[in-house]
Structures are given as C-alpha cells and as structure tokens.
Amino acid sequence: MTDNKKLSLIIDTADDKRAVDIEVIEVSEITSIADFFVICSGNSERQTIAIADAIDEKMYENGYELKSKEGHRSGRWILLDFGDIIVHIFHKEDRVFYNLERLWIDGKKVDVDNYVD
C-alpha cells in the first residue's frame, strides 16, 4: 500500500499550485493498475502544466520515480503515473466531460484533508 508521505506530497503540491477540486479515490480493491487516483483541475492549460511540473519536480526531489507522463503538451488532461498513484490533472472543462469520478464510482473516496499539511 502507498505510504502517506507520497500521497501528501502530491496533494500538497497540487494545492500549492492552486489546483481546483482535488479528489482522491482508492482503487486498489477494484483494479491492479494503481492504489490511488488523484484527480484535480486547473483553470487553463498553463495552470495544468504548472501543476504537473510542480508535482513531478517535488516527487523527484523526494526520491519517487515517475513511470510515465501523458498529455503534457496539450495541457488538457495530464496523467502522471507514479506506479501506485496515478495523478489526473484536467483542464476544468475536460474534467466535467470525462467525469472520472463517475467511471470509478466503486472506488473509495479518501478525505483529502487527512493528507494536507
């Protein structure tokens, strides 16, 4: 299972970059691709890219390996794969369209406040 520090780093960094509507879904019991999805939004492509870059940098500084990054150029839906945690950073309009929260409704919502410093 994911250590709390890793999840806290991601959530705190997204919050520091003013990510909107940060949600965490525990998916470990319904899929083998990850333990958690972190989903957040930015108000522009520039902001989503800044959020992604900040999370990538903070995780690297703390010794966590980024396994894959997708969508960085467009800034509409950026995916950062840290193995046990997958971070989805959406432009606010695209988040409404794709509605991952509905697709992963069987996952367990995690109280983000437990991970924010």
Side-chain angles (χ1 to χ4, degrees), residues 2-97:
T2 300
D3 66 81
N4 291 341
K5 180 182 178 193
K6 194 173 185 179
L7 202 49
S8 291
L9 281 170
I10 292 168
I11 294 166
D12 283 341
T13 305
D15 188 55
D16 288 348
K17 286 295 180 181
R18 307 231 188 287
V20 179
D21 197 19
I22 302 169
E23 291 195 33
V24 177
I25 303 172
E26 184 177 352
V27 294
S28 61
E29 294 184 13
I30 56 175
T31 185
S32 61
I33 61 173
D35 292 337
F36 293 95
F37 285 167
V38 177
I39 305 169
C40 62
S41 304
N43 292 312
S44 67
E45 288 90 352
R46 178 173 273 167
Q47 185 184 16
T48 61
I49 291 169
I51 293 165
D53 288 347
I55 291 171
D56 186 8
E57 182 178 321
K58 182 63 81 171
M59 296 296 280
Y60 177 79
E61 289 171 359
N62 284 273
Y64 297 111
E65 177 186 356
L66 178 65
K67 298 188 181 305
S68 179
K69 179 177 7 181
E70 302 291 333
H72 190 266
R73 285 186 195 197
S74 74
R76 301 296 297 188
W77 177 2
I78 302 171
L79 184 141
L80 303 174
D81 182 355
F82 292 100
D84 50 353
I85 301 174
I86 297 177
V87 183
H88 300 270
I89 307 160
F90 284 97
H91 186 285
K92 63 183 178 181
E93 295 165 358
D94 291 343
R95 182 168 178 181
V96 171
F97 179 79

